[in-house]
Amino acid sequence: MKNLSLTGHDITIGSGHPLVVMAGMNVLEDRDLAMRICERLKSVCERLALPYVFKASFDKANRSSINSYRGPGLEEGLRILSDVKDAFGVPAVTDYHTPQQAAAVAEVAEIIQVPAFLCRQTDLVVAGAEAVLARGGWLHVKKAQFLAPWDCRNIVTKVAEVTGDKRNPTILCERGASFGYNNLVVDMLGIPAMKALDVPVTIDATHAVQLPGADPRTSGGSTGGRREGVSIIAQSAVAAGADGVFLEFHEEPDKALCDGPSCLDLDAAEPLLARLKSIHEIVSGR
């Protein structure tokens, strides 16, 4: 499998390298909260000698209800992400939702993310590939809940058509598959199946525990989740060979404005990441 190095940062993802941590908050709520979460997670990762990327969305376009909180939007969201990066010297990952957004998002975020429901949208994938190719970034593609791991080959191929002989900047992300109504499951055999496509693979353990449209607090008006399953899925995926983890935290998870039932308390970050580091080192022989 080819490794990927992030331009401007001492971070490489892939075989023989430390577990990459993409972690932060689900959606930007306000600047001060983003600053506090990034500061805390960066400190944890520094103590554990794990490469850290701050994660937050400026818009959550696929909400269950039209009344659900979506975020500050493109302009304000990118401003907050830029402020966080400048304050703590870390790279950022955030998602984009239209081809027109790709270039602007890639100017701020070193890693731009294709949402799971949109990973088959050719124009979106191509625009993202062009944007990160111009800046030496990575394209983090969430595998759709309806897509088989080996069918991600078509996504990787689309990006390769853009990059040509240059290194393919794609990272695939496992986040569960739809299994009946209001439920997701993660097939850990999908991790090595996607790595066989010659790209690094991460696990989104936060969204993998979602119960889509099944939050009892809103009578199905938002997504529920099984917070207690995050660590189980993260540890299992790293044991299966994942090269990075994608996790969401909050100071008060039950008060998070988006996907609170799936995110972890900040106090859980250090013990969980320490376990994940140990598992990754055993699996990779480091």
Side-chain angles (χ1 to χ4, degrees), residues 13-235:
I13 188 170
S15 299
H17 293 275
L19 185 73
V20 173
V21 178
M22 301 181 191
M25 54 200 304
N26 186 295
V27 62
L28 291 166
E29 297 181 15
D30 63 65
R31 180 181 181 277
D32 289 344
L33 179 60
M35 289 283 188
R36 294 195 301 272
I37 289 176
C38 182
E39 182 177 29
R40 182 85 173 271
L41 292 175
K42 180 188 177 185
S43 178
V44 167
C45 287
E46 284 179 343
R47 287 194 293 273
L48 295 174
L50 291 172
Y52 175 61
V53 180
F54 177 69
K55 181 273 163 188
S57 298
F58 58 82
D59 180 24
K60 303 297 290 187
N62 61 333
R63 299 298 83 195
S64 299
S65 167
I66 196 170
N67 297 314
S68 296
Y69 177 73
R70 289 182 52 167
L74 179 65
E75 184 175 347
E76 176 65 8
L78 292 181
R79 185 188 70 79
I80 295 173
L81 284 176
S82 182
D83 287 348
V84 172
K85 287 179 51 183
D86 290 344
F88 299 106
V90 298
V93 54
T94 194
D95 31 21
Y96 66 108
H97 305 277
T98 68
Q100 293 74 26
Q101 290 178 341
V105 174
E107 286 183 9
V108 174
E110 290 83 352
I111 308 170
I112 68 173
Q113 180 170 280
V114 179
F117 283 129
L118 301 178
C119 74
R120 285 175 56 108
Q121 299 299 105
T122 299
D123 290 347
L124 190 73
V125 171
V126 168
E130 291 173 342
V132 297
L133 182 63
R135 296 184 172 274
W138 296 344
L139 187 66
H140 192 240
V141 183
K142 295 275 193 79
K143 179 184 72 63
Q145 299 91 324
F146 51 81
L147 199 64
W150 41 89
D151 288 337
C152 290
R153 178 181 302 277
N154 295 320
I155 300 170
V156 177
T157 300
K158 288 177 183 178
V159 177
E161 289 292 321
V162 175
T163 59
D165 293 333
K166 298 182 176 65
R167 176 165 291 187
N168 193 313
T170 305
I171 299 170
L172 294 174
C173 179
E174 173 60 66
R175 51 96 67 238
S178 295
F179 187 75
Y181 299 122
N182 305 118
N183 194 26
L184 298 170
V185 297
V186 179
D187 176 6
M188 294 304 167
L189 295 179
I191 304 290
M194 287 191 288
K195 290 185 68 169
L197 301 177
D198 205 25
V199 295
V201 173
T202 63
I203 177 66
D204 179 356
T206 298
H207 291 92
V209 301
Q210 283 183 329
L211 298 172
D215 188 345
R217 301 174 303 175
T218 58
S219 300
S222 60
T223 292
R226 296 168 291 186
R227 186 180 300 145
E228 67 280 2
V230 172
S231 62
I232 296 170
I233 289 177
Q235 291 173 94

